[in-house]
Amino acid sequence: MPFKILKEEVKSLIENALKELGYPLVEFLVQEPPSLEYGELSSNVAFEVGRKVKKDPYEIASKISSKIMEFDKKNVKQVSVAGPGYLNFRVDRVEYFGKTINHLLQEKPGYVDVGKGVRVIVEHTSVNPNKALHIGHLRNVVIGDIVHRLLKYTNHEVIVLNYIDDSGAQVADIIVGFKFLGFPEKPQERGIKFDQYCGDHVYVKVNQIYAQNPQTENYRRIVLKEMENPSSEIYKFAKDIIERVLIEQLKTCSEIGAYYDCLNFESHIMFSNTWKNIFEQLKEKQLISYCSDGKNVGCWVYRDESGQEKVIIRSDGTATYIAKDILYAAWKLGLVEDFFKYEKFFVQKNGKVLWRTTLSEGEKEHPIFNNAEVAINVIDIRQAWLQNIISEILKKFVGRESNKRYIHLGYEVVSLSKDTAKEIGIEVSDKEFVHMSGRSGMYINADTVLEKLFKLSYEETKKRNPDADEKWLNEVAHSIAVSAIRYSLIRQDLGKILVFDLEDELKLEGDTGPYLQYTYARAYNIIEKYGRIPENVKVFDKLNEEEEYILLIELSKIREKIEEAAIKLQPNKIAEYAHKLCLYFNTFYEKHQVLREKDESKREQRILLVYSFTRALKTLMDILGIEAHKRI
């Protein structure tokens, strides 16, 4: 039975008791007590009422307890008073076991209809197509992909977009390298991916040349201008280079199980005439204003709620970067006509067709990629101010009565631990970690991390399974490497800087992805050895050990945890909960026999508890994008 239902019942019982006793309806807490010896839930309601009516909390709690015991109750068996006036609630453990396990054996354990079919756009990745993804980019990919999986599981209609900035200075820099500074168009070193070559070699060295000879930056201005002309030779050359880089980036994303519905190219927004229409509407609604004096004289600006100005249109009539973002965000929410044309790009590893925007005629029949109720943009917190401006403008644009929402899902950046930085040749002196910088080459590529983690996991897997065939070893080692990197990038609160350490991420113990996989395999092995799932267990009267009940209580929270994570957009909470479940399962299993339990009835009941755990953990791992294996 979902723990949330028990909480709701306790809250309702307390409120009804307050009404019948004539006490004021106060705000109160219903939460878990410090130990199960006090019951499953506890409330401070008597203290809150006591403050209002100036009476002893213990006396009030006693009256509330007596009144509740008079009511018809579905799950609560006993109410008692503890200490100076806490109300403690107990359930019938046998019944609670039965209801919870039956819930976990349903088709979708923990399922809750948060979305009710609401259409949501999740945009993530959005890495400039001039380099390979580094570990910081991969955090964006993992957060976005898990949010997509979480919302899809909770019945949202989810569209996943990847915004391709194909017209910015970073792309221009690699074109400068190829067209003006003599860099070969193919990497000379064998085995290096094209995106790695462009980022690690061309981009970094071009910026070094700029620093040594500032006049060479004129080439960048030439390229940027030419890239605004679709018929120019440089535009066509850049288009080919960008596509080659992009394909390599997408290979990296697919390696960790992240896929998309559509790639939206920035240049295709630039070449549309839709900005003029929304610009006029912004003026008409008085959301932007013209500056007649001051530092922004001659510009159209937006003043945020603190009075700070952001230029939308420069004094020369050109639009700033945020103008394109406003238009694109409005497109996502269906506030402007769909100005894109679409074509199929390729079929991804998961079998899904990836679409892309195009300047050609495109295809007449294609999915609808915009007109969402909610648009979520996964981007690091350094962009928080600009993202808040976009959100404010759109909120005012659609009006308060609209359900349309634009959400910036921000996260802190990834840094490298001292040891990991040293391993890739970055000098950190006495620092404990180092911030990454693409321009200066201080970063670690995602492909490099995956390769290193694969080698470590392969060695560990072969050690544990010396007779396994090569195909299985490679598949499992790759899966463990992916679980290690995905989990490490999601387990921490999004608002905290994440310090990535290669050595820490592959441990089978502790707060890691492989630990989840190891625990799942351990539990599944019990079911496999038993050979069947008991079908005729109606009563769970033999599961009276504390470790069994602690595990069950935690399992009963799966619906509540998934719902909370989806509503609050906190994907890290799924990782946190999955890890806690594994800790409780391993504690239970290490203290109590399952297969060797002599009492057949108790053995069957424990098998169902283990099976329920595997189903719950598998659900959480699916949301996290971590594969569950029968053995590792």
Side-chain angles (χ1 to χ4, degrees):
M1 185 188 76
F3 195 67
K4 185 179 179 182
I5 290 177
L6 178 61
K7 270 187 174 179
E8 290 169 350
E9 180 183 346
V10 167
K11 188 171 186 296
S12 178
L13 288 170
I14 292 172
E15 287 173 347
N16 289 336
L18 293 180
K19 289 177 186 176
E20 293 208 10
L21 291 167
Y23 288 134
L25 292 177
V26 294
E27 294 289 330
F28 58 89
L29 298 176
V30 173
Q31 56 191 8
E32 294 176 72
S35 169
L36 275 173
E37 67 181 88
Y38 298 107
E40 286 71 31
L41 286 169
S42 180
S43 178
N44 67 340
V45 62
F47 298 96
E48 300 302 326
V49 172
R51 289 191 186 94
K52 288 278 186 181
V53 301
K54 309 299 182 188
K55 289 187 177 180
D56 178 31
Y58 187 87
E59 178 188 337
I60 294 168
S62 298
K63 289 182 179 179
I64 294 173
S65 172
S66 298
K67 179 56 67 177
I68 288 175
M69 290 305 294
E70 296 174 8
F71 297 155
D72 290 331
K73 298 174 289 297
K74 292 181 181 179
N75 300 294
V76 174
K77 180 183 179 182
Q78 183 183 351
V79 188
S80 60
V81 181
Y86 288 101
L87 277 174
N88 291 329
F89 297 81
R90 299 178 188 276
V91 301
D92 184 311
R93 288 195 174 189
V94 173
E95 279 190 30
Y96 199 74
F97 257 108
K99 289 177 179 179
T100 299
I101 288 177
N102 284 333
H103 172 70
L104 292 168
L105 296 182
Q106 292 173 8
E107 185 178 352
K108 294 180 73 174
Y111 174 74
V112 55
D113 188 359
V114 173
K116 304 191 183 303
V118 164
R119 188 175 176 86
V120 178
I121 284 174
V122 177
E123 180 184 293
H124 66 81
T125 309
S126 305
V127 177
N128 292 315
N130 72 318
K131 56 182 171 290
L133 276 68
H134 62 53
I135 193 69
H137 298 134
L138 215 55
R139 189 179 195 199
N140 183 301
V141 178
V142 169
I143 291 169
D145 184 62
I146 294 175
V147 167
H148 152 236
R149 291 167 182 263
L150 175 61
L151 295 180
K152 189 173 180 181
Y153 191 80
T154 52
N155 194 27
H156 296 79
E157 181 190 354
V158 188
I159 300 150
V160 183
L161 303 179
N162 185 350
Y163 183 79
I164 312 302
D165 182 359
D166 58 335
S167 58
Q170 294 192 36
V171 170
D173 287 344
I174 61 169
I175 306 305
V176 168
F178 293 133
K179 280 293 184 182
F180 295 96
L181 300 179
F183 287 86
E185 292 176 30
K186 292 183 179 179
Q188 305 299 298
E189 186 181 335
R190 292 184 63 183
I192 186 171
K193 289 174 67 194
F194 185 67
D195 57 342
Q196 293 174 350
Y197 168 63
C198 287
D200 300 353
H201 185 73
V202 181
Y203 178 63
V204 171
K205 290 194 174 180
V206 166
N207 276 275
Q208 289 172 354
I209 292 170
Y210 288 162
Q212 293 163 5
N213 185 2
Q215 287 186 338
T216 55
E217 287 198 60
N218 289 326
Y219 294 136
R220 177 196 278 172
R221 287 187 277 273
I222 292 169
V223 169
L224 286 170
K225 186 174 181 180
E226 288 295 303
M227 285 171 64
E228 294 177 5
N229 178 10
S231 61
S232 75
E233 187 270 335
I234 281 184
Y235 176 88
K236 293 172 184 175
F237 176 79
K239 184 175 181 290
D240 177 64
I241 294 294
I242 287 164
E243 187 166 303
R244 290 170 64 188
V245 171
L246 183 56
I247 287 171
E248 295 301 324
Q249 289 180 341
L250 293 172
K251 284 180 184 176
T252 302
C253 295
S254 68
E255 282 295 299
I256 65 160
Y259 302 98
Y260 309 86
D261 292 301
C262 190
L263 309 176
N264 295 53
F265 287 78
E266 181 179 273
S267 62
H268 302 165
I269 300 175
M270 290 168 54
F271 296 133
S272 77
N273 294 316
T274 312
W275 166 249
K276 295 176 184 177
N277 297 331
I278 197 168
F279 177 49
E280 292 302 321
Q281 291 183 65
L282 291 172
K283 288 195 291 185
E284 185 181 325
K285 293 175 181 284
Q286 298 182 343
L287 296 178
I288 58 176
S289 55
Y290 182 78
C291 287
S292 301
D293 52 30
K295 66 176 182 177
N296 293 323
V297 62
C299 301
W300 286 90
V301 303
Y302 173 76
R303 291 185 178 86
D304 69 12
E305 293 176 353
S306 68
Q308 194 171 352
E309 291 182 350
K310 177 62 182 174
V311 175
I312 307 297
I313 301 294
R314 301 182 187 94
S315 57
D316 63 2
T318 58
T320 59
Y321 195 91
I322 195 173
K324 286 175 282 186
D325 285 349
I326 293 167
L327 174 58
Y328 183 47
W331 169 84
K332 289 180 185 177
L333 297 176
L335 305 179
V336 295
E337 64 179 14
D338 189 355
F339 46 80
F340 288 123
K341 294 175 183 177
Y342 305 92
E343 63 184 10
K344 292 176 182 175
F345 194 21
F346 58 77
V347 177
Q348 301 168 96
K349 276 173 62 175
N350 67 343
K352 178 189 279 190
V353 173
L354 176 62
W355 291 75
R356 57 178 288 172
T357 59
T358 178
L359 291 178
S360 70
E361 286 303 309
E363 299 190 27
K364 290 182 179 179
E365 299 295 326
H366 59 79
I368 304 299
F369 296 110
N370 70 331
N371 199 24
E373 286 294 300
V374 181
I376 300 169
N377 196 12
V378 181
I379 188 167
D380 74 58
I381 61 170
R382 291 173 296 185
Q383 299 293 322
W385 183 58
L386 293 180
Q387 289 293 307
N388 287 338
I389 287 175
I390 296 168
S391 180
E392 282 180 19
I393 288 175
L394 292 179
K395 197 182 299 180
K396 294 171 182 176
F397 190 87
V398 298
R400 291 182 180 179
E401 69 281 355
S402 174
N403 291 323
K404 301 274 186 179
R405 287 185 296 148
Y406 180 87
I407 298 172
H408 168 218
L409 183 56
Y411 62 93
E412 262 290 2
V413 296
V414 178
S415 298
L416 301 177
S417 71
K418 180 196 296 185
D419 292 339
T420 298
K422 283 182 178 178
E423 187 174 334
I424 61 173
I426 297 174
E427 189 56 50
V428 296
S429 61
D430 59 344
K431 297 178 182 176
E432 289 303 311
F433 60 88
V434 60
H435 294 298
M436 292 186 289
S437 168
R439 185 171 279 108
S440 59
M442 292 180 61
Y443 55 87
I444 180 169
N445 279 330
D447 297 307
T448 303
V449 174
L450 277 168
E451 185 180 348
K452 287 180 178 291
L453 289 174
F454 172 80
K455 287 178 180 177
L456 288 169
S457 59
Y458 179 88
E459 291 168 7
E460 184 64 32
T461 306
K462 190 170 180 62
K463 191 189 303 179
R464 291 166 175 263
N465 302 273
D467 300 324
D469 65 76
E470 207 55 29
K471 184 175 182 292
W472 182 86
L473 284 170
N474 282 312
E475 287 176 354
V476 172
H478 176 263
S479 174
I480 292 172
V482 170
S483 84
I485 200 165
R486 286 184 73 103
Y487 190 89
S488 70
L489 295 173
I490 198 65
R491 70 184 176 200
Q492 190 168 290
D493 285 350
L494 302 191
K496 294 181 180 178
I497 290 177
L498 191 152
V499 179
F500 184 83
D501 185 273
L502 267 173
E503 189 176 337
D504 283 346
E505 305 315 329
L506 204 67
K507 295 175 181 175
L508 289 182
E509 297 298 323
D511 196 7
T512 67
Y515 177 65
L516 302 189
Q517 291 179 303
Y518 165 75
T519 304
Y520 179 86
R522 189 183 199 189
Y524 193 89
N525 184 251
I526 297 169
I527 306 298
E528 202 167 48
K529 283 183 177 178
Y530 191 68
R532 64 184 178 86
I533 306 299
E535 295 180 351
N536 299 314
V537 178
K538 304 297 182 185
V539 179
F540 292 84
D541 57 342
K542 301 292 181 69
L543 301 182
N544 45 31
E545 301 290 348
E546 199 70 0
E547 290 77 18
E548 293 169 329
Y549 196 55
I550 288 172
L551 174 59
L552 181 93
I553 287 291
E554 202 61 35
L555 284 168
S556 75
K557 297 174 187 173
I558 184 170
R559 180 173 155 185
E560 180 181 4
K561 297 294 186 181
I562 290 174
E563 180 179 17
E564 183 181 7
I567 290 172
K568 294 183 179 180
L569 292 178
Q570 295 178 328
N572 56 296
K573 294 297 182 183
I574 298 296
E576 182 183 296
Y577 175 57
H579 178 246
K580 193 172 185 180
L581 271 183
C582 288
L583 287 175
Y584 286 160
F585 170 79
N586 284 315
T587 299
F588 150 72
Y589 184 60
E590 285 158 12
K591 289 192 175 183
H592 304 290
Q593 294 290 339
V594 178
L595 294 173
R596 294 180 182 177
E597 171 56 52
K598 295 178 181 179
D599 185 324
E600 184 179 353
S601 176
K602 181 183 284 192
R603 185 166 64 248
E604 285 195 336
Q605 290 175 33
R606 280 185 175 165
I607 287 290
L608 278 176
L609 177 60
V610 173
Y611 183 55
S612 299
F613 166 75
T614 63
R615 286 177 57 79
L617 183 58
K618 173 73 164 55
T619 294
L620 299 171
M621 291 171 73
D622 285 347
I623 293 173
L624 293 170
I626 294 175
E627 288 185 291
H629 296 280
K630 296 176 183 178
R631 66 187 179 106
I632 62 171

